[in-house]
Amino acid sequence: MVTTVMRENELKIKITLPQATEVKKLEKKSLVSYIYVGEPRPMYAAKFGSEPRIQLNDAISDLVDIRDFIASEREARDEAEVPFMTASLKVDENTKMGIVSDIKQSLRDAQALKINYSTRKGTKK
Amino acid sequence: MAKREVPEINSSSMADIAFMLLIFFLVATTMDIDTGLARMLPPPAPPDIDNKAPLVQEKNIFVVLINKNDQLLVEGRPIELDFLKDQCKEFLQKTDQPNFPDSETKEISLIGRFPVSKGVVSLQNDRGTTYGRYIEVQNALVAAYNEVRDELSMEKFGRKFDELSEESQKAIKEAIPQRISEAEPKRIGGK
């Protein structure tokens, strides 16, 4: 069925989410910050190369930017809501874990401990 | 006396209006529900801590390793992903037997005395492991935990874990704590 999807931001990278069965719904969308990881789309490949990159909001970013990103996301929210904020990792299934581990490490350093591995809901085998 | 005609509202455009509304709401509905596996990261380690891991007996750990070729090594033996869930379930349910974890009997409200397994699932991957594989493994481990919890809920409360009240869920969670520990990845497969 055709429906409207409100896009939060324009993706400059390709993402095919992995499938999982034990998924939970993500609650309170306003408290979720998205981190995208994947190979840059062909039109951006000349600028950013073909290795998987991180996208925060609208821009392709580096690992060091995550700290500032989390800080700015926190600033935008009410102080009482900060402990409930979730970082949703939307990562392409063919990405290597190295970059994901680095992101997890910087999220730990930034005290953003609640994370969510975004997946498609798959069928039970 | 002349017969009075009952005035009628012209309703020929009613269908048009209804269709317009229908189409508007069809198109303007968002169905973008985000789903995923929720996880908590461990808080950053204080710099002055010595890097010795807390001593956990070997039989209390369920070791899952994923190498850079996405192959699994579970408890020292290479296995296929399909068997991981069942093996993990067995590890969580059997306690106080040779090669299975110790247990600690605790008094839990609503359940009573229950032998809580001291088992910890330890997951380590390589930097070259693909993310899809990592999620598959995480999913299998969470599935194992969920099934064990469901079975205990059925036994104690006669309903599945998701359908329990908040207090009963808390009791079940206390009886079967989800302990998945992730070690720092190895650097064999490069970036």
Side-chain angles (χ1 to χ4, degrees), chain A residues 3-4 21-22 24 26 29 34 90-91 93 95-98 101-102 104-105 108 113-117 119, chain B residues 27 29 32 34-37 39-44 125 127-132 134 139 146 182 184-185:
Chain A
T3 53
T4 316
T21 53
E22 311 296 318
K24 289 207 178 90
L26 207 55
K29 264 195 194 164
Y34 295 95
K90 286 185 182 267
V91 185
E93 57 184 346
T95 313
K96 301 282 183 211
M97 275 307 286
S101 300
D102 291 341
K104 273 158 69 180
Q105 196 58 45
R108 272 178 75 183
L113 301 179
K114 237 180 128 181
I115 59 165
N116 178 69
Y117 299 113
T119 54
Chain B
V27 171
T29 315
D32 176 36
D34 252 319
T35 53
L37 300 168
R39 272 282 100 100
M40 283 296 274
L41 294 173
N125 57 276
R127 288 181 71 86
T129 310
T130 60
Y131 179 73
Y134 173 77
N139 188 50
N146 285 352
E182 280 179 58
E184 297 273 312

Side-chain angles (χ1 to χ4, degrees), chain B residues 72-89:
Chain B
L72 278 174
L73 191 76
V74 176
E75 295 281 73
R77 272 181 297 158
I79 63 162
E80 292 296 315
L81 180 73
D82 299 347
F83 303 116
L84 176 65
K85 189 179 87 183
D86 293 331
Q87 213 179 326
C88 181
K89 254 179 89 176

Side-chain angles (χ1 to χ4, degrees), chain A residues 24-36:
Chain A
K24 289 207 178 90
K25 265 186 213 158
L26 207 55
E27 275 155 35
K28 293 233 174 131
K29 264 195 194 164
S30 57
L31 294 178
V32 179
S33 331
Y34 295 95
I35 296 172
Y36 306 90

Side-chain angles (χ1 to χ4, degrees), chain B residues 48-56:
Chain B
D48 53 335
I49 205 165
D50 56 345
N51 248 343
K52 263 191 213 145
L55 223 60
V56 184

